[in-house]
Amino acid sequence: MKAYSLRAWLLLLLPLCAAFTCSDHREPQPLRYRLKTVKYSVGPPPNYTPQTFTLTYDSNGRIASYDYGSNATNWTVGYDNQNRVASIFFLDRGQNGNYFNAYTYNQQSQLTQVTRTRYPGRSTEPITPRLQSTYDLNYASTSATVPSKLITTYLDPNSSLEQIYTFSGGNAIQVGDKTYTYDNTPNPYKGLFGLNLYFSLDQGFGLPVPISPFRPSQRFTDLGVKVYNQNNITTDATLTYNSDGLVTKIDYNDGASEEFTYEAY
């Protein structure tokens, strides 16, 4: 456990909590940091090549796109008139199919559903778009800021998974029948809606697979429980921090790892 919590929270303004931005009116302002890159690996090379994802921001400080290489893929994020993530278009430059994700909110601005539609990537494929998966979130009350349940449904092949969350101190201390512990420094994924939904059913190789229960090392997705946690999971993981108390690397016991860089703004 690191004792950086107060300083780290002041330094790191995590972006896009429900896609709202913050503004400061006091001078001078402390230096702020935001997530710039994430390098994810499920094991050492040459069996698996780490993927580095780069985040870009618009002039309002919102996520504009999420990219991992000019010859690979790009996520472009759209917003509604309430500054919430409304859609994301996933472009696969390798022509394995393109995806459009639509975000639905209730009157309390709680995210209640995300749908993913696949568009053909190759000219030999049918032109008709196909609904591929749905993600439904339930909340314990109209004032809740975190979900109590996520139901993921994949339509081809048909499979589904219901995950129950128990939060305490801003962290999901229980997911299903498993419990988790956390450090006291900022989780760089918090609030990052509208990003890596493409990999929400992926075990690390870019292809949808039967849905599996949550595990700490799973690749980040914007509907996984990682996006809601205040802090970083320490269960089955070893964490490395920089001098500002921000996590720079997480080594998981199953061989996967995540590395983070930040930018000042």
Side-chain angles (χ1 to χ4, degrees), residues 175-191:
V175 180
D177 60 354
K178 295 186 177 181
T179 58
Y180 298 93
T181 57
Y182 296 81
D183 67 4
N184 59 0
T185 65
N187 165 26
Y189 290 128
K190 180 173 173 56

Side-chain angles (χ1 to χ4, degrees), residues 13 41 210 231:
L13 181 62
S41 176
N231 307 112

Side-chain angles (χ1 to χ4, degrees), residues 1-4 182-186 232-234 238-249:
M1 302 280 283
K2 301 288 287 187
Y4 290 119
Y182 296 81
D183 67 4
N184 59 0
T185 65
N232 303 292
I233 291 177
T234 57
T238 301
L239 283 66
T240 302
Y241 306 85
N242 66 15
S243 59
D244 293 316
L246 306 177
V247 64
T248 56
K249 187 175 183 182

Side-chain angles (χ1 to χ4, degrees), residues 188-224:
Y189 290 128
K190 180 173 173 56
L192 293 181
F193 299 103
L195 295 181
N196 205 356
L197 184 57
Y198 175 71
F199 288 110
S200 57
L201 301 178
D202 171 41
Q203 296 296 298
F205 299 98
L207 298 174
V209 296
I211 300 171
S212 60
F214 170 79
R215 66 189 191 283
S217 63
Q218 73 181 31
R219 194 192 309 241
F220 164 70
T221 66
D222 72 351
L223 281 174

Side-chain angles (χ1 to χ4, degrees), residues 6-262:
L6 179 59
R7 184 172 181 232
W9 283 111
L10 290 173
L11 288 171
L12 181 62
L13 181 62
L14 291 165
L16 293 179
C17 185
F20 284 97
T21 57
C22 301
S23 58
D24 292 312
H25 303 284
R26 296 175 298 175
E27 295 291 346
Q29 298 177 21
L31 190 63
R32 299 178 296 177
Y33 294 93
R34 61 190 179 192
L35 188 62
K36 183 61 178 177
T37 66
V38 180
K39 184 168 76 171
Y40 181 86
S41 176
V42 298
N47 295 326
Y48 185 81
T49 302
Q51 293 175 320
T52 298
F53 300 84
T54 302
L55 288 73
T56 60
Y57 299 84
D58 64 19
S59 59
N60 295 316
R62 307 176 306 187
I63 294 293
S65 64
Y66 191 60
D67 175 72
Y68 71 90
S70 58
N71 294 320
T73 57
N74 177 265
W75 289 258
T76 302
V77 185
Y79 297 88
D80 63 16
N81 57 11
Q82 297 187 51
N83 208 29
R84 303 174 301 198
V85 172
S87 63
I88 177 171
F89 181 71
F90 170 88
L91 173 64
D92 189 333
R93 299 187 182 97
Q95 296 188 339
N96 292 320
N98 303 316
Y99 297 85
F100 180 81
N101 308 314
Y103 293 69
T104 300
Y105 301 85
N106 61 18
Q107 293 183 343
Q108 289 74 41
S109 286
Q110 294 167 324
L111 179 63
T112 56
Q113 186 182 68
V114 179
T115 60
R116 180 173 68 185
T117 301
R118 184 181 187 276
Y119 291 80
R122 297 183 177 90
S123 58
T124 56
E125 293 184 281
I127 298 175
T128 305
R130 178 168 55 88
L131 179 65
Q132 190 172 50
S133 52
T134 63
Y135 308 81
D136 296 281
L137 296 102
N138 296 339
Y139 297 81
S141 69
T142 57
S143 61
T145 58
V146 294
S148 57
K149 181 191 298 185
L150 170 65
I151 302 173
T152 302
T153 303
Y154 187 62
L155 304 177
D156 185 18
N158 187 272
S159 58
S160 64
L161 175 69
E162 178 179 289
Q163 296 188 99
I164 305 297
Y165 301 142
T166 300
F167 279 84
S168 178
N171 297 310
I173 60 171
Q174 187 166 357
V175 180
D177 60 354
K178 295 186 177 181
T179 58
Y180 298 93
T181 57
Y182 296 81
D183 67 4
N184 59 0
T185 65
N187 165 26
Y189 290 128
K190 180 173 173 56
L192 293 181
F193 299 103
L195 295 181
N196 205 356
L197 184 57
Y198 175 71
F199 288 110
S200 57
L201 301 178
D202 171 41
Q203 296 296 298
F205 299 98
L207 298 174
V209 296
I211 300 171
S212 60
F214 170 79
R215 66 189 191 283
S217 63
Q218 73 181 31
R219 194 192 309 241
F220 164 70
T221 66
D222 72 351
L223 281 174
V225 71
K226 285 186 178 183
V227 77
Y228 292 102
N229 290 323
Q230 296 280 350
N231 307 112
N232 303 292
I233 291 177
T234 57
T235 302
D236 296 327
T238 301
L239 283 66
T240 302
Y241 306 85
N242 66 15
S243 59
D244 293 316
L246 306 177
V247 64
T248 56
K249 187 175 183 182
I250 303 178
D251 290 296
Y252 297 98
N253 290 358
D254 61 7
S257 66
E258 297 166 307
E259 296 181 58
F260 309 97
T261 68
Y262 305 87

